[in-house]
Amino acid sequence: MGDRPEAQAHSGAEREPGAAKRGGPADGRGETTEERADRRWQELVQEIRVAQTGVQILFGFLLTVVFTPHFQGLATPDKTIYIVTVVLGSLSTGALIAPVAFHRIVSGRRIKPQAVVWASRLTFVGLVLLLATLVAALLLVLRVATHDGLALWLVGVVLLWFLLCWFVLPLWARSRHTEGP
């Protein structure tokens, strides 16, 4: 997507006709609202593809566990953790697939900027639910593998790692290197 000829003819201080819909000088892209929404939608779809793959594989695996002989021998607390994990996995899958359904229903209605905002929110919720699913699944596996309190400590360390990588570091970078909300 190269620059349009009319945009190339203007300096940063000059604005082309209809530029009221273009981003301000701080955005550095000179996109219209629609162009920005298209770009943001494509970026979001790529992010969702990564997360969806992981959550769908995890969820599919979780659905098979109940049919194994070892499952029947689990203690009640472990079965409860399993049920919670499957429900979290299902909710995460739903939230991460929801932007596709959202887009399909509102496509062509000229509300892509709003659709991007809602899809982004659904994706964030899906990622939080995915984090909960991963932590619950890890707790179940480590409880069965270790049979002691070490499982909670290990899960706590892994949870802190996920929080650092998924939320703390991006929020730190955003606050340090960007302006605005």
Side-chain angles (χ1 to χ4, degrees):
M1 294 187 174
D3 289 338
R4 290 177 309 279
E6 69 269 16
Q8 292 174 349
H10 296 281
S11 71
E14 296 177 37
R15 303 298 294 240
E16 61 187 278
K21 289 188 174 183
R22 293 207 174 271
D27 77 356
R29 293 183 186 260
E31 301 170 310
T32 64
T33 303
E34 292 80 15
E35 290 168 339
R36 183 177 304 110
D38 287 341
R39 176 182 51 82
R40 290 183 65 211
W41 181 261
Q42 290 303 316
E43 290 172 354
L44 185 61
V45 166
Q46 292 302 322
E47 294 166 5
I48 291 170
R49 284 184 181 139
V50 172
Q52 270 183 346
T53 302
V55 76
Q56 288 172 337
I57 291 169
L58 176 61
F59 186 54
F61 171 74
L62 287 170
L63 291 176
T64 65
V65 170
V66 73
F67 299 105
T68 64
H70 186 70
F71 179 80
Q72 300 310 318
L74 290 178
T76 301
D78 293 332
K79 286 182 180 179
T80 302
I81 293 169
Y82 170 78
I83 291 166
V84 168
T85 304
V86 168
V87 170
L88 287 169
S90 179
L91 294 171
S92 179
T93 300
L96 289 170
I97 294 174
V100 175
F102 193 97
H103 181 265
R104 184 56 23 225
I105 290 169
V106 303
S107 181
R109 304 288 180 168
R110 299 187 182 271
I111 61 167
K112 188 172 267 183
Q114 295 87 348
V116 169
V117 170
W118 279 101
S120 180
R121 289 174 182 164
L122 287 165
T123 302
F124 186 79
V125 168
L127 289 174
V128 170
L129 289 167
L130 175 57
L131 174 60
T133 305
L134 290 168
V135 168
L138 184 63
L139 177 61
L140 177 60
V141 168
L142 292 178
R143 278 177 53 94
V144 171
T146 65
H147 303 291
D148 61 23
L150 179 63
L152 284 175
W153 286 101
L154 292 173
V155 170
V157 169
V158 171
L159 174 60
L160 288 175
W161 177 250
F162 275 120
L163 291 172
L164 178 69
C165 294
W166 288 14
F167 302 106
V168 174
L169 183 59
L171 288 170
W172 171 81
R174 184 171 100 174
S175 70
R176 179 157 184 189
H177 299 290
T178 65
E179 297 177 11

